[in-house]
Amino acid sequence: MKRRIRISDLAEGIEVISVIGLEKNTGKTVVLNQMLKEFREKGTTAGVTSTGLEGEKRDQVYLNEKPEITLSRGTYFVTSERDFRHRSFSATVIDLRDYRSPLGRTVFARAEADGKVIISGPSILEYLSEAVNTMRSYGCEKILIDGSTSRMSPGTPLVSDGVILATGAALSMNLEELCRKTSFVVRLLSLPGTELELHKRIAPLGTGLWVEKDGVFERLSPSPLTAKSLKHELAGRTIYINGSLTSSVLLALAEKNTRIILKDFSRVFFDELTLAKYERAGGHLEVLHPTHLIAVTVNPLAPNGFKIQSDKLIKSLESKIDVPVLDVLEESSN
C-alpha cells in the first residue's frame, strides 16, 4: 500500500509557507486547514494570515459553499477589524496596526478556543512582510500565508521560505490543458538562481533595465517597460531587469543567447508562447532569489460539479513536473 504523504511532512524545516491558487476553488483553504490540523497534532505553534479576503462562507462567483478557515486554541492570526469581530471563538488581541484597508485596522491576535474565522490580512507586500516578522516574534514555528488567487507576489522568496501551488478542475475541465497551464507555472516557480558572484554584483542595483559590459552593469533604462525601444546590441549579453518582465519586453529582448536575470519569479508577466519564442532565440532566464516549491495540490472537483478522476490527474501532472502532487480533498478526508 502506498504511504500517504502528509503536507506538513513536506514542509518540514520550512518556516514561512505561501499557498497560491491558480484559480478560485482549487482548494487553497482546504490545504491551509489541513496544514493547521497537522501542525496542531504535532504540537507546532502556528500563525496564519492572508493577502486577500479568505475564509468567506460562500464563493462570490459561483455562490457555492466554501470551507472556512478553522483555528485551534493557541493559533496566532492576522485579519481585519471587521472580520475579527465576526469570528466564532474567543481571542486575545495582541496588537493593532493601521495598515491601509477598507476593512479597518489590522488585528494581531491569538485564538483562545477552537473556531472559524475569515482571514483578510495585509495585501501590500511590505505590510505582509511586517506581519510575518511580528508573528515570528510571538514564537510561531510555522507561518502560513493564504495568497490571493492568481497573485504570485506573496510567494516571493523575500517573504516566504516555500510555496504550495493549488490547481484543479476549476482551472480547466480539459485534463491536457489543466496540466499544461499548471506545468508552465511550476516552471516559472522553478527558475534557477544565478551564481553567487554575479548575485553579489547585481543585488545592489536599483530599478530598471541593466546590461553587463566588460564586467560592469550599465543602466539602459529606468523602466523595463521601455526596453522595446532600445537600439543597443544585446545579443549574447547578460541583462538584469529589476521590475516586471512582460511579454512585449521579453520579445524585444529575444536576441541570440541573451541571459535575463530577474529578482524572483513574482516579476514574471509573460505567457508560455512568448517564453518559447525567447528560448528559440537561445535566450535563458534566471532569478536572484530562487523559490522552494514544496508541492502541487489538486482539487479534481470543479465548482459546477464536473470532476476529473483524481488518480489520472495526479499521474498526468507527475509525468510533467518534478515535485510531489497531492489531492487536497483526499488528504482532508483522512
Side-chain angles (χ1 to χ4, degrees):
M1 183 177 178
K2 186 177 179 180
R3 178 181 175 271
R4 185 172 70 89
I5 301 175
R6 288 164 59 93
I7 302 178
S8 60
D9 291 340
L10 295 174
E12 197 69 38
I14 304 172
E15 183 184 11
V16 183
I17 303 160
S18 285
V19 183
I20 297 173
L22 289 182
E23 184 57 80
K24 291 179 71 69
N25 297 289
T26 51
K28 286 192 300 98
T29 306
V30 177
V31 173
L32 182 69
N33 280 333
Q34 181 65 21
M35 295 187 77
L36 288 171
K37 175 177 177 288
E38 292 178 15
F39 290 151
R40 181 177 67 248
E41 292 169 351
K42 292 181 176 183
T44 302
T45 302
V48 60
T49 188
S50 166
T51 58
L53 182 61
E54 298 298 338
E56 62 266 38
K57 290 185 178 181
R58 190 172 292 274
D59 179 81
Q60 300 303 304
V61 177
Y62 293 98
L63 301 181
N64 54 310
E65 290 290 328
K66 291 191 64 181
E68 295 177 278
I69 293 176
T70 303
L71 304 184
S72 58
R73 181 182 179 185
T75 303
Y76 292 86
F77 63 103
V78 179
T79 192
S80 67
E81 276 186 296
R82 188 201 71 176
D83 292 321
F84 179 79
R85 289 195 296 268
H86 295 151
R87 71 194 185 282
S88 66
F89 54 90
S90 59
T92 298
V93 175
I94 303 173
D95 199 0
L96 282 173
R97 303 283 173 86
D98 194 19
Y99 297 154
R100 294 190 295 274
S101 169
L103 304 180
R105 290 175 295 179
T106 300
V107 180
F108 290 73
R110 182 182 62 245
E112 301 299 348
D114 299 351
K116 301 180 186 300
V117 66
I118 292 176
I119 299 291
S120 48
S123 58
I124 297 175
L125 209 57
E126 178 186 351
Y127 296 157
L128 177 63
S129 181
E130 188 176 321
V132 165
N133 288 330
T134 300
M135 285 191 284
R136 188 182 280 120
S137 74
Y138 296 157
C140 292
E141 301 165 272
K142 296 287 186 181
I143 298 169
L144 303 179
I145 301 172
D146 198 347
S148 304
T149 301
S150 300
R151 185 182 173 197
M152 297 294 175
S153 57
T156 171
L158 302 178
V159 174
S160 301
D161 302 317
V163 170
I164 293 174
L165 184 67
T167 188
L171 178 65
S172 175
M173 292 184 288
N174 179 283
L175 179 60
E176 184 178 346
E177 183 181 11
L178 192 166
C179 291
R180 180 182 58 78
K181 288 182 175 181
T182 303
S183 299
F184 175 62
V185 177
V186 167
R187 187 177 176 196
L188 298 180
L189 285 162
S190 305
L191 286 172
T194 194
E195 64 267 23
L196 182 60
E197 184 276 331
L198 186 56
H199 180 117
K200 289 179 178 178
R201 288 196 287 129
I202 289 177
L205 301 179
T207 303
L209 186 146
W210 302 75
V211 176
E212 186 180 31
K213 183 179 181 180
D214 299 326
V216 178
F217 279 90
E218 173 190 0
R219 187 164 76 167
L220 296 189
S221 170
S223 170
L225 299 179
T226 61
K228 50 191 173 184
S229 63
L230 295 177
K231 304 301 182 183
H232 291 69
E233 174 60 46
L234 298 176
R237 306 281 287 276
T238 295
I239 304 165
Y240 174 53
I241 294 180
N242 188 351
S244 300
L245 179 57
T246 64
S247 291
S248 60
V249 171
L250 186 58
L251 286 176
L253 299 176
E255 297 189 33
K256 189 175 181 181
N257 299 326
T258 55
R259 179 189 188 189
I260 296 178
I261 301 171
L262 303 172
K263 183 165 283 189
D264 60 61
F265 82 95
S266 70
R267 310 306 171 98
V268 167
F269 293 92
F270 54 76
D271 57 33
E272 189 175 1
L273 181 61
T274 303
L275 178 59
K277 289 180 180 178
Y278 172 72
E279 291 180 330
R280 279 199 297 271
H284 180 67
L285 278 177
E286 296 176 10
V287 290
L288 283 185
H289 305 283
T291 301
H292 181 180
L293 180 58
I294 300 168
V296 171
T297 61
V298 299
N299 178 2
L301 183 64
N304 62 4
F306 176 83
K307 187 174 183 179
I308 298 175
Q309 186 178 334
S310 179
D311 289 347
K312 188 175 182 180
L313 174 55
I314 290 174
K315 287 178 181 178
S316 295
L317 279 172
E318 286 179 334
S319 69
K320 294 175 174 61
I321 62 178
D322 192 26
V323 293
V325 182
L326 296 80
D327 182 336
V328 293
L329 297 181
E330 187 179 83
E331 283 293 299
S332 62
S333 65
N334 285 307

